[in-house]
Amino acid sequence: MDLTYTPGQQAFRADVRAWMAANVPAHKLKSYDTREGFEEHRAWERTLNEGRYAMITWPEILGGRGANLIEWLIFEEEYYRAGAPGRVNQNGIFLLGPTLMEYGTPEQKARFLPRMAAGEDIWAQGWSEPGAGSDMAAIRTKAVRDGDHYVINGQKTWSTRAAFADWCFGLFRTDPNSERHHGMSFILLPLDTPGITRRPIPQLDGEPGFAELFFDDVRVPVENRLGGEGEGWNIAMATAGFERGLMLRSPARFQETAKRLVTLYRRHQAKVSPAVGEAVLKAWMDAEAYCLNTYMTASRLMAGGKIGQEASLNKIFWSELDRSMHETALSILGARAELLANGVDDPDEATRWLKGFLFSLAGPIYAGTNEIQRNVIAERLLKLPR
Amino acid sequence: MNFAFTADQLLFRDTVRDFLAAECTPADVRTLAAGEGRSAARWGKLAELGLTGLTVPEAQGGLGLTLVDLVLIAEEAGRAALPEPLIDQIGIVVPLLARFTHRPEVAAVLEGIAAGTVTVAVGHPADPYVADAADADWLLLGRDDALHLVPRGKVTLTQEVSVDPLRHIAAVAWAPDNTTLLGEGLDDLLDHGALCASAQALGLAQAMVELAADYARTRSQFGKPIGSFQAVKHHLASVQVAIEFAKAPVYKAAFSLAQGLPRAARDIAHGRIAAIDAAAAAARTAIQVFGAMGYTYEVDLHFFMKRAWALAGVWGDRHFHVSRLQHLVLSDDAPTGADATFGPK
């Protein structure tokens, strides 16, 4: 155990900090859940890629830096410290990207990964259906083989970023007689394919963060299938592992929120009750604990370990931490917590806290509800009966 | 940056876990609780394993290992609810005495500790009682910011009864003099005590979850094991989350204290609060899962709950460490943010 950064790691941090200082847009981008903001964020992804900072853990040949997980953590810390824009292509770079690396053919990797890193293809995800939420094995949307194509019919919902995204990955039933987690395949498809209808769904803040997708005789080439026919479930589980696991919610994000919360508390300390101080402290402690735990996991993975059921522990911890940090901030803001639009010079950023709170409410629901995660922990870690 | 224990550290941890699983079963603890309370035979075996000398400098016959090695062993002692005062001795007494090895009598005490023939009890002025004082040869005590090493013969003990039948505690009356004075280190005494209590709490919490999970697998109601009910599953899963996210802060605290870093006080307080909370949640949940059986003296759960409750109050309780951490984190000039996590302060 050595909890000090090496000179090389310190130099890397300094490089990232300098690059961010020179490149992070001075003005705040519009929300990526608007058409205009979506394209602004795509441009930012292009800038990141030009600096080879779009996906630093990827191999150099794919535009990455071959960075290890500790460097990734340092990068994320500097990214959030700089207040850089949210990653509009997170479905691609954090979820599909690692899945492609593990299950994609060389042709698929070459075809999809560089465009993903450059923001040329922004990805949506297509898991849930009206009758298949937590019970993902209940998926019914069919992809029927017709020569060298699949013909897709059915419906997806809660498809994150699908309102404006270019491509979608998802799970489709390729064996019409199959049931549950058998007979499904993992398929990638352009969202401008004829036969696809998108219906954006406004989320709590009014913006279309996700959409319903209707498939009506949508033809997709067979080479767009990731992995073998009928092997989709296991691949989707790996993707879900990436989602719950290390990368999607880096600790730096929560530490930055905790730092903002501590700052907010200091500003209002004189007028809030001492109980608020303890809630702020709890938020700081939990953000730190999440960070430390991630450094431990990163160290273990770098020594050859694999991520296992701790993905479920992580997902519960960060999602409930995020919600409670925002609740604490709103309690400090008091009557100003309801402001959906504040003046530009509000040092408290009341609206940012409110929007962050609304977003945090989704955390315990997506990527497998926290109830499902608690079942996973109880059954697989504590060996309780199903 | 490498936040991992070495293969050797983990192997040693596993050896101790296996040893205690065989030699300190809940049934053994129950037997001791009805009798002497301490096993001289087990103490001899702990010494043979090198555990009594784990942190004793090699020059005094020990293994010369650090608090980073110790923290995993303390977790195992907690997991087994080990009755003997091993952790107080190698996690608190030894690291502090090791600063005074230039004094021949201290070096001799350390040699005796490593050999398993000398025991030293330890107390902080903030705590009213000292554990295992009656059987000790020496007591390491604090007074006016200074540490004193006091022979057992120079103190007067008033025995008290702990909720934990295996904790032997006593109020200690004594008078410092020039022969007992060692030197500074009272803050470090508290931090070492807090670290040891935290690590044991982690092990106790895990043991309670496992006992409750075992019970939930076998206890049947409505025709099925109660562990198949989501209400029971979710309670235990929530405690497991709390335990997992208390570990890294405790391990980091061990590293910071071992290295003497200025941020050690902050790390110790964080680990202490997280570990107290995890153990309290484990106890509260485990007794609920056990139902009425958990409220009896007949199942073994209570030994673990009582140790956790007793350790929650010593070496600075939750309120003490919360106030301490609030000062260190929320004050206007305190460092916050990701780049402060592994920073010096």
Side-chain angles (χ1 to χ4, degrees), chain A residues 100 145 329 342 365:
Chain A
L100 266 167
R145 188 74 177 255
N342 56 242
I365 300 168

Side-chain angles (χ1 to χ4, degrees), chain A residues 1-6 9 13 17 70 77 81 255 259 262 265-266 277-278 280-281 284-285 288-293 295-296 299 313-314 316-317 371 374-375 377-379 381-386, chain B residues 1-5 68 209 213 216-217 225 227-228 230 233-234 236-238 240-241 244-245 248-249 251-252 255 263 266 270 273 277 318 322 325-326 329-332 334 336-339 341-342:
Chain A
M1 186 178 296
D2 181 7
L3 305 186
T4 46
Y5 295 107
T6 63
Q9 288 165 343
R13 183 187 292 280
R17 190 171 290 189
I70 299 293
E77 288 167 9
R81 186 180 184 277
Q255 287 183 291
K259 183 178 172 182
V262 168
Y265 172 75
R266 285 173 182 161
E278 193 164 338
V280 173
L281 188 70
W284 177 88
M285 283 194 296
E288 284 286 302
Y290 184 61
C291 165
L292 299 177
N293 192 271
Y295 271 87
M296 273 181 64
S299 300
L313 298 160
N314 284 353
I316 291 172
F317 194 76
E371 286 73 19
R374 284 185 164 86
N375 286 349
I377 293 166
E379 289 162 14
L381 220 54
L382 302 177
K383 311 289 181 211
L384 292 178
R386 291 177 72 85
Chain B
M1 175 65 63
N2 179 22
F3 202 156
F5 293 98
V68 176
V209 166
R217 277 190 288 273
S228 65
Q230 289 199 356
K233 284 180 179 173
H234 289 190
L236 288 170
S238 295
Q240 194 62 45
V241 171
E244 291 301 328
F245 286 90
Y251 300 157
K252 183 193 185 207
F255 177 85
R263 67 161 194 251
R266 190 184 71 188
H270 180 187
I273 298 163
D277 288 351
R318 192 180 193 287
V322 164
L325 196 55
Q326 279 189 325
V329 172
L330 303 183
S331 310
D332 285 343
T336 45
D339 49 358
T341 299
F342 295 108

